[in-house]
């Protein structure tokens, strides 16, 4: 048998297992191997217990080994089961890495870059930066996907986006992802122009202790929790009366005199008729940051991030309250 025939035989042997063992079967086993019972595993997988049990028996039959010790009420893996659980993680990692390489190559060959964003970055000059970005990188096609910071983190791991753009608070606990500052800005107090505090040039957090707060949803953004933490350090817990998802909704609520909020300074650029923005004595960062997977970053993406940083900090788009 020559080398080509040997290689062909090895390929056919690999296909034999691929045809009999599916990724779904391995995923079911992997979830079950970390649960106390098949009932619990079925609940996590959103299926009934019966098909899960059937899949596990079929897997054992194909492999010709016993994976579970069924003499116990709770799930107990045999030595072969423990080994398969360990190998499953390797299989999933290889599969994910391979698929990511393919999708990343496809996007790169098409000149497509997918950028995850939170909508408020456009109020800080991100739109202006993107216009210049298209001129500097004409071979790229940019796709902007509006996602919460948490969604962006998941999308980066799944290779669904290339770079994410979030606020400073959402970069504090993102390992193994990395981040860098693009545009630095502080937070300020936003309140109705009819509010007694609206004529102040600067406010201290302690002066807001009795106010009603409106904040962005803490599920979607870590900035709200950052504000709460600063208030606690100042000696009070903010009286939260409403949480919203969109920045536009937040500003409309404030304009209707339903409360005050602490927001990024760039929010003031929208020219709200009945909202005043007052500087805050305490420094609370609202920086805009790029978030990326260091294992998938390329020199071109680094160059793109640097260009956005330069464009967003251009004097023509800076604004002072």
């Amino acid at each position: 048998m020559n080398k080509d025939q040997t290689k062909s035989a090895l390929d056919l042997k690999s296909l034999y297992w691929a045809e009999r063992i599916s990724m779904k079967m391995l995923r079911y086993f992997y979830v079950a191997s970390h649960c106390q019972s098949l009932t619990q595993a079925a609940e996590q997988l959103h299926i009934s217990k019966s098909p899960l049990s059937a899949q596990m028996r079929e897997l054992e039959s194909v492999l010709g080994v016993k994976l579970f010790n069924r003499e116990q009420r709770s799930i107990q893996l045999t030595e072969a089961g423990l080994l398969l659980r360990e190998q499953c993680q390797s299989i999933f990692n290889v599969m994910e890495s391979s698929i990511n390489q393919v999708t990343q190559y496809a996007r790169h060959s098409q000149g497509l870059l997918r950028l995850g964003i939170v909508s408020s970055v456009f109020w800080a000059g991100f739109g202006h930066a993107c216009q210049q970005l298209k001129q500097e990188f004409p071979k790229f096609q940019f796709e902007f996907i509006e996602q919460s910071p948490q969604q962006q983190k998941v999308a980066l791991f799944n290779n669904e986006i290339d770079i994410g753009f979030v606020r400073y608070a959402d970069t504090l606990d993102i390992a193994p992802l990395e981040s860098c500052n693009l545009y630095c800005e502080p937070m300020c107090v936003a309140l109705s122009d009819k509010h007694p505090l609206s004529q102040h040039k600067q406010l201290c957090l302690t002066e807001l202790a009795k106010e009603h707060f409106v904040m962005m949803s803490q599920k979607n953004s870590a900035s709200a929790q950052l504000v709460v933490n600063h208030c606690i350090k100042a000696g009070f817990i903010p009286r939260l009366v409403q949480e919203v998802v969109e920045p536009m909704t937040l500003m409309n609520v404030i304009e209707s005199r339903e409360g005050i909020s602490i927001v990024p300074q760039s929010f003031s650029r929208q020219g709200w008729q009945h909202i005043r923005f007052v500087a805050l004595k305490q420094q609370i960062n609202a920086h805009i940051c790029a978030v990326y997977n260091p294992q998938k970053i390329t020199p071109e993406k680094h160059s793109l991030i640097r260009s956005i940083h330069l464009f967003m900090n251009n004097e023509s788009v800076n604004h002072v309250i």
Side-chain angles (χ1 to χ4, degrees):
M1 183 179 292
N2 60 36
K3 292 183 178 179
D4 290 338
Q5 290 176 321
T6 302
K7 185 176 186 301
S8 177
L10 290 173
D11 290 342
L12 288 174
K13 184 177 181 180
S14 298
L15 286 174
Y16 168 81
W17 292 110
E19 290 173 352
R20 302 191 67 190
I21 300 177
S22 66
M23 290 297 293
K24 181 173 75 172
M25 194 182 292
L26 292 177
R27 182 170 67 90
Y28 282 5
F29 165 77
Y30 189 72
V31 171
S33 71
H34 286 88
C35 292
Q36 295 296 317
S37 65
L38 285 183
T39 301
Q40 184 186 56
E43 290 176 354
Q44 288 192 20
L45 291 165
H46 304 291
I47 61 174
S48 61
K49 181 180 175 181
S50 180
L52 175 59
S53 180
Q55 287 279 308
M56 295 304 94
R57 290 186 182 279
E58 183 179 353
L59 180 60
E60 288 180 318
S61 176
V62 171
L63 294 175
V65 298
K66 188 176 180 181
L67 300 173
F68 300 95
N69 184 355
R70 290 181 173 80
E71 296 177 0
Q72 304 293 328
R73 289 187 177 182
S74 61
I75 289 179
Q76 297 289 331
L77 297 178
T78 62
E79 290 186 4
L82 290 170
L83 179 59
L84 179 59
R85 181 169 69 180
E86 181 181 330
Q87 293 301 315
C88 274
Q89 187 61 62
S90 298
I91 293 170
F92 297 151
N93 288 341
V94 170
M95 184 72 173
E96 181 180 8
S97 176
S98 300
I99 295 300
N100 281 343
Q101 287 183 45
V102 172
T103 56
Q104 198 168 24
Y105 172 79
R107 287 212 299 269
H108 182 75
S109 63
Q110 296 168 5
L112 176 63
L113 280 176
R114 306 186 75 188
L115 309 179
I117 58 169
V118 290
S119 60
S120 67
V121 300
F122 285 100
W123 293 356
F126 186 77
H128 170 82
C130 289
Q131 291 176 7
Q132 294 183 289
L133 204 63
K134 292 176 182 179
Q135 297 177 9
E136 183 167 334
F137 298 88
K139 72 174 184 178
F140 284 114
Q141 176 186 349
F142 297 100
E143 182 178 348
F144 301 98
I145 304 172
E146 188 172 358
Q147 297 175 313
S148 71
Q150 188 58 39
Q151 289 173 328
Q152 290 186 41
K153 294 170 189 177
V154 174
L156 284 167
F157 280 119
N158 293 337
N159 204 41
E160 295 168 355
I161 61 174
D162 296 287
I163 306 171
F165 297 93
V166 300
R167 293 283 177 179
Y168 165 79
D170 294 293
T171 68
L172 297 179
D173 186 21
I174 59 170
L177 298 176
E178 295 181 1
S179 68
C180 62
N181 282 350
L182 297 176
Y183 180 78
C184 296
E185 64 173 320
M187 288 195 176
C188 62
V189 182
L191 64 177
S192 166
D193 59 0
K194 304 299 182 183
H195 195 287
L197 297 176
S198 64
Q199 300 307 312
H200 288 230
K201 291 185 177 180
Q202 188 181 62
L203 287 168
C204 181
L205 279 174
T206 53
E207 296 178 85
L208 308 177
K210 296 182 180 180
E211 300 297 330
H212 292 141
F213 279 77
V214 183
M215 292 184 178
M216 298 296 294
S217 169
Q218 296 183 51
K219 292 182 179 180
N220 292 333
S221 172
S223 293
Q225 187 58 54
L226 182 65
V227 169
V228 171
N229 291 343
H230 275 272
C231 290
I232 292 174
K233 288 180 182 179
F236 71 98
I237 298 176
R239 299 162 66 182
L240 181 62
V241 294
Q242 189 173 349
E243 283 188 307
V244 300
V245 175
E246 295 295 332
M248 187 69 73
T249 305
L250 177 72
M251 303 313 290
N252 286 329
V253 171
I254 294 171
E255 198 165 30
S256 65
R257 308 183 200 178
E258 295 299 324
I260 70 167
S261 191
I262 296 177
V263 301
Q265 179 177 292
S266 57
F267 280 29
S268 65
R269 296 183 189 174
Q270 301 309 300
W272 306 95
Q273 291 186 359
H274 301 291
I275 297 179
R276 295 290 178 267
F277 296 87
V278 182
L280 193 60
K281 184 176 181 180
Q282 287 87 350
Q283 176 76 23
I284 304 179
N285 293 331
H287 308 334
I288 293 174
C289 305
V291 181
Y292 53 88
N293 188 332
Q295 295 181 345
K296 300 173 184 176
I297 201 73
T298 64
E300 286 179 321
K301 292 175 186 177
H302 268 305
S303 179
L304 182 144
I305 291 173
R306 285 194 297 269
S307 294
I308 293 178
H309 168 74
L310 291 174
F311 296 148
M312 291 191 71
N313 286 277
N314 188 298
E315 290 185 1
S316 65
V317 297
N318 284 347
H319 177 82
V320 179
I321 293 178

